[in-house]
Amino acid sequence: MLRLLLFAGAVLLLTYLLTRLRHARFSQYAHIPQVPNHLIWGHLKIFGELSRRGVPADRHTDAIFEDMRASIGRPSVMFVDLRPVNPPMILVATHDVAEQISKPSKAHAFSVPKSPSLAQMTPMIGAETILRKEGPDWKDVRKRYNPGFTSQNISDLLTTVLDKMDPFCNFLSAFAVTGQEFSLEMLLSNLTFDIIGIVVMDVDLDAQHMNSARQGEIIRLYRELLQTFHGDQSNTPWFLVPLLTLKRQRLAKRVDTLVKKAIERRYLEATKADKENGRSILALSFKEAGELTPQLLADTSAQVRTFMFAGHDTTATTLEWAFYELSRTPRALKAVRDELDSILGPESDPRMIRGILADKGAQVLSRMTYINAVVKETLRLHPPAATARMAPPGSGFTVKVPTGEEYVVDGCILYCCQSIIHRDPNVYGDTADDWVPERWLGEAASSIPPSAWRPFERGPRNCVGLELANLEARVIIAIVARRYDFVKTGLGASVLDEKGRPMLNEKGQYRVKSELYNTLRLTSKPADGTMMKIKLAAES
């Protein structure tokens, strides 16, 4: 009898669980456009199939999502069921829906809250990061750091940025002499690490060395920590990679300790009555800070680590793509050089350009309209990151798509996918997949809705560092673009004619042997580290 009861109970439990599973897979979100779901695997099955079928195999997950979306007619939103690996997700593919998520509302005063999936980045950016704070806590932290990121303060820090350019240019000149292939990603990330260290903490991170053993300890440990997020394990839940998770925690603790020591030193300097506070972002944040309590120290460390990560990563990746696109688009490179000639004169020596920018920085940078268009178009076509939000379950948060349907999406990760939003043919027309800086000039730019360009997100929770990123990008292009010619090797290399010259395609760019593409390494990055050779422009 007991066995019969146990068997009956097991059958009832199994039936209940199966009913719940069927509801979750086939009914709960059936009203939202999606590819066919699988009872056991959800959309993991088709995601895996597309991953294996796709070429190249290590392409960014956004490309796989776009393949899924294309198979059902490219709706404005698409439900993606990756349970139990991840919570249910809504892929947001158009700017008008993304704008509903990023703008403030009665229910969400500072826009829809950030997704809990950001927790996977805790080793990189700390548990107290501004990215994970909500409501008044977020507002207080943003208010504390806003003074350091104002346009005026960023302009005041221009000479600090310029001072870090010498080692970078020296490396480029050395590679021009030897003809050696090098990773532009490595050079640019070292440069932007050095810049962010000085701008944020007034600390020399000593990053600009090709031999990592000569770099500062913070950089060495931080890079080792970054490496643990590369490849397939970037978004893998911790319980599937316990040893890797422990390694991340160990490295994160060591980085945190070093950053806290730097903060304590800067706090002591900032509070000395006889010493000027300085203009670093950290120094300005101390003005209203009061006592450096353990909680404030932990909070400050998290913000510094967040600025270190986002501040070096976005600019380095943007410049990798910008120099690559300029190297294969002769009309654009000529336009950049002509603009610099008209603004700065014919001199192209980096030291001379540094002097001009240090003397007349704000005045000349504001006149670099074509270079600004190059940066803007690069961020459109190759955005380094996206944003993920989540309205609390039961809140009834609803989005309306252009065709008029409304969908309740609370309890789902809302993944606003910039790489798809920025290539919407309804906004950018037939050239949505092409690199065309001219679309941001004159009357052409007025036809693009402001919400359709969102690499730094929009609304109250947009990126606090966008002014710094834009300044860095313009300054580095201004110093480098006329002095050097970049030549891509490997992925994205140009097809050459019988005389060894690159050949133009119908879009005015050099034809390539293979496409350079993004892969996922916590954020989007060119798959091969942007391998290059370089020549002095006068010799090309």
Side-chain angles (χ1 to χ4, degrees), residues 372-389:
N372 188 62
V374 164
V375 174
K376 199 164 185 177
E377 179 69 349
T378 302
L379 284 165
R380 179 194 74 84
L381 199 63
H382 309 292
T387 186
R389 308 293 184 94

Side-chain angles (χ1 to χ4, degrees), residues 311-327:
H312 96 276
D313 184 85
T314 299
T315 307
T317 301
T318 300
L319 285 166
E320 286 176 64
W321 277 110
F323 285 126
Y324 170 65
E325 295 288 6
L326 286 170
S327 75

Side-chain angles (χ1 to χ4, degrees), residues 418-484:
Q418 267 79 338
S419 64
I420 295 177
I421 293 171
H422 284 178
R423 295 177 182 234
D424 186 350
N426 293 318
V427 175
Y428 296 104
D430 295 339
T431 61
D433 292 327
D434 301 330
W435 189 77
V436 185
E438 292 80 7
R439 77 171 80 245
W440 300 106
L441 302 174
E443 289 297 317
S446 62
S447 65
I448 301 173
S451 61
W453 187 81
R454 46 198 316 123
F456 299 103
E457 248 315 310
R458 287 171 49 82
R461 300 203 62 162
N462 68 341
C463 176
V464 70
L466 64 91
E467 292 282 354
L468 175 60
N470 281 327
L471 178 136
E472 282 185 77
R474 284 177 291 166
V475 164
I476 294 168
I477 290 173
I479 291 175
V480 170
R482 290 184 299 171
R483 183 70 168 179
Y484 305 100

Side-chain angles (χ1 to χ4, degrees), residues 487-515:
V487 180
K488 187 72 181 70
T489 60
L491 282 173
S494 297
V495 174
L496 305 179
D497 63 18
E498 64 278 1
K499 295 183 179 180
R501 297 172 302 191
M503 298 184 290
L504 286 175
N505 63 21
E506 67 281 2
K507 297 176 182 178
Q509 291 188 305
Y510 294 138
R511 291 167 52 192
V512 295
K513 299 175 184 178
S514 58
E515 292 293 332

Side-chain angles (χ1 to χ4, degrees), residues 164-177:
K164 291 297 180 182
M165 287 300 300
D166 268 358
F168 179 73
C169 292
N170 290 340
F171 277 120
L172 293 182
S173 295
F175 284 126
V177 171

Side-chain angles (χ1 to χ4, degrees), residues 236-452:
T236 305
W238 69 267
F239 52 83
L240 296 178
V241 284
L243 294 179
L244 185 63
T245 300
L246 288 173
K247 181 179 180 180
R248 288 173 180 168
Q249 292 172 348
R250 175 177 55 81
L251 289 169
K253 186 175 181 179
R254 294 175 66 188
V255 171
D256 184 51
T257 298
L258 292 172
V259 169
K260 283 178 176 176
K261 287 180 179 178
I263 292 168
E264 289 171 329
R265 289 194 298 271
R266 292 297 170 260
Y267 178 81
L268 288 174
E269 292 176 2
T271 52
K272 286 181 180 177
D274 61 342
K275 185 174 178 67
E276 188 175 334
N277 282 348
R279 304 302 302 174
S280 75
I281 291 163
L282 189 58
L284 293 178
S285 77
F286 285 145
K287 283 194 171 182
E288 308 294 331
E291 181 185 356
L292 188 62
T293 63
Q295 178 57 44
L296 180 58
L297 180 60
D299 186 277
T300 304
S301 175
Q303 309 328 318
V304 167
R305 289 157 62 192
T306 299
F307 299 150
M308 279 176 59
F309 172 70
H312 96 276
D313 184 85
T314 299
T315 307
T317 301
T318 300
L319 285 166
E320 286 176 64
W321 277 110
F323 285 126
Y324 170 65
E325 295 288 6
L326 286 170
S327 75
R328 65 182 296 247
T329 315
R331 76 167 194 285
L333 182 58
K334 182 178 185 302
V336 165
R337 288 173 170 173
D338 288 347
E339 180 172 83
L340 290 172
D341 284 346
S342 68
I343 296 172
L344 304 175
E347 181 58 62
S348 65
D349 183 271
R351 287 183 293 273
M352 298 294 292
I353 303 304
R354 274 184 52 203
I356 296 171
L357 291 175
D359 185 41
K360 303 177 180 179
Q363 176 187 343
V364 297
L365 287 172
S366 64
R367 294 168 56 195
M368 295 180 184
T369 54
Y370 194 87
I371 290 175
N372 188 62
V374 164
V375 174
K376 199 164 185 177
E377 179 69 349
T378 302
L379 284 165
R380 179 194 74 84
L381 199 63
H382 309 292
T387 186
R389 308 293 184 94
M390 179 186 280
S395 63
F397 182 72
T398 302
V399 296
K400 185 175 182 178
V401 299
T403 50
E405 294 89 349
E406 295 186 356
Y407 300 115
V408 178
V409 293
D410 60 359
C412 293
I413 293 175
L414 304 174
Y415 181 51
C416 298
C417 185
Q418 267 79 338
S419 64
I420 295 177
I421 293 171
H422 284 178
R423 295 177 182 234
D424 186 350
N426 293 318
V427 175
Y428 296 104
D430 295 339
T431 61
D433 292 327
D434 301 330
W435 189 77
V436 185
E438 292 80 7
R439 77 171 80 245
W440 300 106
L441 302 174
E443 289 297 317
S446 62
S447 65
I448 301 173
S451 61

